[in-house]
Amino acid sequence: MTATTEINKIISKENLVYNKTSVLLDNEMHYCPGCTHGVIHKVIAEVIDEMGIQDKTIGVSPVGCSVLAYNYIDIDWQQAAHGRAPALATATSRLMPEKYVFTYQGDGDLASIGCAEIIHACNRGENIVVFFVNNAIYGMTGGQMAPTTLEGQVTATTPYGRDCKVTGFPMKITEMIAMLPGTRFVTRQSAETPGAVRKLKKAAQKAFENTRENKGLSFIEIVGTCSSGWKLSPVKSNEWMKENMFPYYPLGTLKDE
Amino acid sequence: MAKFKGAIVVDTEKCKGCGLCVVACPTKVIELARDVNGKGYHYAHMANADACIGCSSCGLVCPDTVITVYRVKAS
Amino acid sequence: MGDVRLMKGNEVIAEAAIRCGCDGYFGYPITPQSEIMETLMIRRPQEETGMVVLQAESEVAAINMVYGGASCGKKVMTSSSSPGISLKAEGITYLAGAELPALIVNIVRGGPGLGTIQPAQSDYFQAVKGGGHGDYKLIVLAPASVQEMNDFVDLSFKLAFKYLNPAMILSDGVIGQMMEKVELSDFKPRWTAEEIKEISGSWATVGKPADRERNISTSLDLDSAKQEIFNHKLQAKYRAMEENEVRFEKIACDDAEYLFVAYGSSARICQKAVEQAREKGIKVGLLRPITLFPYPTKAIQEMLKDVKGILSVEMSAGQMVEDVRLAVNGKVPVEHFGRYGGIIPTPEEVVEALEQKILGK
């Protein structure tokens, strides 16, 4: 038996162990090669599929690279003004308490312009899930400084490196949110290895289960990469993230009540 | 001898050649092709098919969800 | 007669919202309209009709809660006063851009800036000419009585859902704070999930069943060609509003040689000014626009065969007068009289202005 025929024998329906969930649409993603958004979208779609909640889930997309998230996950979506996703989700969840409502926001959207909305939605303990993607840079607008940009990090608006004396310090928004009594589950995850993706998926599952049990707000930060903004290859970006982001933004669950 | 034998199918036209699957593969099955796809990306492919154990690591980390994984028990 | 009460204009907005089957109110306190949310909080409609009432962290959050609620096909509203409406402007243009129905109430106070808490009509431009960015229009209703504060809540929702467009009640601190007799509307039940599916199922984000495409509330289209086509669609909608929804009232216009044009509380003052002027032998009438967009342009034009001069009376430095002039197009003299910064004109001042500016006395 030749190698090719052996492979062809393996490639058959009954041996399938991993494929794209049907909740993820076939539209080609506009993200750059290696972008963490793609992995997070996939994880969310898989959880929605496995929990059987496609017809009960409403996503709120932000302004930023993931503004077009509604082109990829096959659910009803609302597209929010910059930073306002938690306000949309608040009303949606209160007016339809039986639904699963989540926001999907980047670091500029959530931690900068939308700081008030996220803090207050968390403080009210809205029964929603928040996915917060932190790659320490503005992607869509071309690599400017984000609130989470690390000290010394070069961006389009900190071309000589972020000087904390001038621009303040990288914001640990997840730690702030964990302090608010309205939040139930606050965790920081990543998605660069198979193990990390599995952990992220478990966290997402738990978050949506919290919604089902009306437990209040679940907040998942995902430390991710932006190879275009960082001007590194996708593989090098993961290395840079582990070396520089993880020490400042340590992975793990901050709160689980 | 591995307990499982696997194989992957890459949607080469959708692959953006980011190479994250190459790093994620524990048995060094995947390489980026010398050829490019319609968009000019060096797409991922099974360069060392015999070594595949069908673990799905490549599929999990693929941002564009272009990898389908199959697995059988090794005979 | 139905349920007749003596109530404040602001309280009536709240009561009318509950009675018309409103699903949600999201607001932030600001004088002179805080009684709207306060009344709702006292009434506890969540226990009576299931209506959600929430004090948001800011006007910005409140209008975006309205965006979220409207996206679900629900009847949702917010209210504020001038500085707060400026903050809501972003959300309002997003609502217009996403073609979402909603009600925004503006109980106008004097500006610019923090201005004053006294009544004014200086947000006319903001309401009818934009306020936010982009080519969009609001349906703008201007009540002149507490009764109309009641009536226009339900009417606003009807028009908002008919055209899938946000509607605004543009009132002011006079009507908001004033107590008057009002016949309240009868209670209407809130729409059920089934009814929402029937009315708004083609666009409302209520969860995607297997048998339809996903619904997306968005104002984004990166393809300029498509964005232009979408803008054509919006403009066609605004032309349809101009064709079908113009509302106005004429008082003492049959034999009028001169005309006041005034809306809201200015129209009430002009009504008295009409009496006083007629006692002096000046045949003046009043045209009161009820819809400020769409504007009663044709109604004004139709009066031009008899009318020799028009005075636009507003509690502003002269905003609506521009629309009067556009309608008149130079055929007769059009002048403006206004008090502003929170000052309310007297009927005597209005008559004097008519005499000086139009009759040339």
Side-chain angles (χ1 to χ4, degrees):
Chain A
M1 201 159 63
T2 67
T4 321
T5 50
E6 197 186 344
I7 290 166
N8 287 343
K9 266 181 77 182
I10 299 172
I11 298 171
S12 73
K13 222 176 170 183
E14 69 271 19
N15 300 330
L16 183 71
V17 285
Y18 191 86
N19 70 339
K20 186 180 80 63
T21 157
S22 64
V23 175
L24 206 59
L25 290 150
D26 287 329
N27 299 334
E28 223 163 289
M29 289 190 184
H30 70 286
Y31 301 115
C32 306
C35 179
T36 316
H37 280 308
V39 184
I40 305 167
H41 286 12
K42 169 171 63 180
V43 165
I44 295 172
E46 284 176 1
V47 170
I48 290 170
D49 188 4
E50 285 160 26
M51 288 178 71
I53 57 172
Q54 186 179 12
D55 59 340
K56 298 181 199 73
T57 304
I58 292 112
V60 186
S61 79
V63 169
C65 284
S66 48
V67 61
L68 297 171
Y70 55 71
N71 282 340
Y72 309 125
I73 304 179
D74 191 17
I75 54 170
D76 281 355
W77 281 94
Q78 300 169 5
Q79 196 283 305
H82 202 12
R84 317 298 173 218
L88 276 65
T90 293
T92 302
S93 159
R94 287 186 181 235
L95 289 162
M96 301 191 299
E98 72 287 1
K99 307 287 180 186
Y100 296 79
V101 184
F102 72 89
T103 72
Y104 189 105
Q105 303 176 259
D107 41 44
D109 191 87
L110 183 142
S112 192
I113 196 166
C115 212
E117 283 75 17
I118 190 62
I119 294 287
H120 285 275
C122 286
N123 196 48
R124 287 190 300 264
E126 300 296 340
N127 193 35
I128 60 173
V129 179
V130 176
F131 292 96
F132 165 46
V133 185
N134 175 11
N135 55 14
I137 207 158
Y138 282 63
M140 185 65 117
T141 44
Q144 296 83 8
M145 183 189 74
T148 52
T149 293
L150 295 173
E151 183 164 17
Q153 190 182 334
V154 172
T155 72
T157 49
T158 55
Y160 308 106
R162 182 175 189 173
D163 179 354
C164 293
K165 283 199 218 88
V166 179
T167 61
F169 297 87
M171 223 167 146
K172 297 191 177 188
I173 192 100
T174 303
E175 277 79 353
M176 288 165 62
I177 275 159
M179 287 168 59
L180 299 170
T183 54
R184 291 296 290 266
F185 176 49
V186 180
T187 187
R188 184 182 282 126
Q189 300 288 332
S190 65
E192 82 287 9
T193 62
V197 176
R198 285 194 184 96
K199 274 193 199 159
L200 170 61
K201 192 170 165 184
K202 277 208 179 105
Q205 236 153 11
K206 185 184 187 67
F208 283 114
E209 277 159 14
N210 281 350
T211 300
R212 182 165 61 205
E213 289 158 30
N214 202 21
K215 277 189 167 176
L217 197 137
S218 300
F219 187 96
I220 303 175
E221 173 179 343
I222 301 105
V223 180
T225 63
C226 177
S227 52
S228 295
W230 295 358
K231 303 191 180 357
L232 295 168
S233 74
V235 173
K236 285 258 172 6
S237 292
N238 273 343
E239 286 163 14
W240 191 89
M241 173 177 72
K242 285 183 212 170
E243 203 174 305
N244 299 283
M245 297 274 284
F246 289 178
Y248 195 84
Y249 301 112
L251 304 184
T253 295
L254 289 86
K255 186 177 189 180
D256 184 7
E257 290 174 353
Chain B
M1 187 66 189
K3 282 185 183 163
F4 293 100
K5 269 215 64 56
I8 63 168
V9 175
V10 178
D11 185 339
T12 53
E13 273 312 303
K14 277 193 178 175
C15 175
K16 292 176 188 158
C18 70
L20 295 182
C21 54
V22 177
V23 180
C25 176
T27 55
K28 300 198 167 22
V29 172
I30 310 170
E31 282 178 14
L32 297 184
R34 296 184 68 173
D35 291 346
V36 292
N37 63 16
K39 283 190 287 290
Y41 291 122
H42 295 279
Y43 54 85
H45 76 124
M46 280 203 291
N48 183 15
D50 282 348
C52 183
I53 54 171
C55 68
S56 300
S57 292
C58 53
L60 282 168
V61 300
C62 174
D64 292 284
T65 318
V66 299
I67 304 175
T68 308
V69 185
Y70 300 86
R71 182 166 68 171
V72 289
K73 274 193 179 152
S75 50
Chain C
M1 289 283 267
D3 194 349
V4 179
R5 309 237 189 123
L6 180 68
M7 286 176 82
K8 258 192 184 191
N10 285 339
E11 294 167 351
V12 164
I13 292 281
E15 188 63 38
I18 299 168
R19 287 172 180 246
C20 82
C22 180
D23 296 297
Y25 171 95
F26 306 91
Y28 186 81
I30 182 171
T31 308
Q33 62 81 53
S34 297
E35 296 87 355
I36 298 175
M37 184 161 50
E38 288 168 9
T39 304
L40 285 167
M41 291 298 183
I42 292 166
R43 284 281 276 102
R44 298 165 81 91
Q46 59 272 30
E47 289 172 12
E48 190 178 329
T49 68
M51 176 183 175
V52 169
V53 185
L54 185 62
Q55 178 170 339
E57 63 270 31
S58 67
E59 283 95 347
V60 176
I63 192 70
N64 283 287
M65 288 173 185
V66 165
Y67 183 104
S71 295
C72 305
K74 302 278 186 179
K75 281 189 194 171
V76 287
M77 66 181 289
T78 185
S79 68
S80 192
S81 181
S82 312
I85 297 293
S86 295
L87 282 168
K88 289 182 197 290
E90 178 200 48
I92 293 171
T93 165
Y94 273 67
L95 284 163
E99 298 202 86
L100 292 173
L103 168 59
I104 301 116
V105 179
N106 184 0
I107 308 294
V108 181
R109 60 190 250 182
L114 202 50
T116 169
I117 59 169
Q118 304 301 330
Q121 295 181 313
S122 43
D123 296 354
Y124 179 90
F125 281 153
Q126 188 192 41
V128 307
K129 308 286 182 195
H133 59 278
D135 278 319
Y136 77 91
K137 291 286 182 190
L138 295 177
I139 300 159
V140 184
L141 293 160
S145 64
V146 172
Q147 185 63 52
E148 284 186 339
M149 293 285 255
N150 173 81
D151 301 347
F152 290 178
V153 171
D154 189 44
L155 177 61
S156 295
F157 277 121
K158 277 191 184 131
L159 294 173
F161 275 86
K162 178 174 176 186
Y163 291 97
L164 297 183
N165 202 72
M168 176 178 275
I169 292 179
L170 188 73
S171 187
D172 61 61
V174 176
I175 315 278
Q177 293 295 328
M178 167 172 83
M179 288 189 98
E180 232 178 10
K181 189 179 87 172
V182 56
E183 184 181 351
L184 296 170
S185 302
D186 292 337
F187 280 91
K188 282 199 292 194
R190 290 170 55 229
W191 287 332
T192 62
E194 274 311 303
E195 284 168 319
I196 288 172
K197 208 174 148 188
E198 207 169 291
I199 296 161
S200 310
S202 62
W203 55 267
T205 59
V206 295
K208 184 201 109 73
D211 62 353
R212 72 155 163 81
E213 291 283 298
R214 65 200 190 285
N215 285 338
I216 306 163
S217 257
T218 183
S219 55
L220 175 73
D221 203 327
L222 294 170
D223 181 340
S224 297
K226 284 189 193 159
Q227 190 61 256
E228 189 182 42
I229 291 167
F230 173 69
N231 268 275
H232 286 318
K233 182 187 167 197
L234 286 184
Q235 291 303 316
K237 194 163 84 170
Y238 304 145
R239 298 295 87 78
M241 290 174 192
E242 286 171 337
E243 200 59 45
N244 305 318
E245 307 302 343
V246 174
R247 288 164 170 79
F248 58 90
E249 184 187 16
K250 279 171 152 181
I251 292 167
C253 281
D254 288 348
D255 62 344
E257 293 171 2
Y258 301 96
L259 188 66
F260 293 128
V261 181
Y263 69 94
S265 41
S266 288
R268 293 172 72 108
I269 294 157
C270 284
Q271 213 175 327
K272 188 70 190 171
V274 166
E275 284 173 27
Q276 291 180 357
R278 281 181 176 264
E279 279 166 20
K280 289 184 169 183
I282 307 165
K283 286 187 176 172
V284 61
L286 166 65
L287 190 140
R288 174 172 79 94
I290 292 172
T291 50
L292 300 180
F293 184 84
Y295 195 72
T297 304
K298 276 186 199 156
I300 291 173
Q301 285 166 348
E302 279 161 14
M303 295 203 60
L304 293 180
K305 57 184 190 303
D306 305 314
V307 158
K308 288 183 272 189
I310 299 178
L311 188 66
S312 175
V313 181
E314 310 163 56
M315 279 143 55
S316 79
Q319 299 191 12
M320 185 183 71
V321 65
E322 293 191 5
D323 281 337
V324 180
R325 287 202 175 114
L326 281 172
V328 170
N329 200 16
K331 292 194 179 94
V332 300
V334 176
E335 296 296 336
H336 161 259
F337 174 69
R339 297 296 306 268
Y340 32 100
I343 303 287
I344 301 163
T346 63
E348 290 76 16
E349 282 177 311
V350 173
V351 175
E352 201 183 309
L354 177 72
E355 288 175 328
Q356 284 176 1
K357 294 188 174 201
I358 302 295
L359 279 71
K361 283 185 188 167

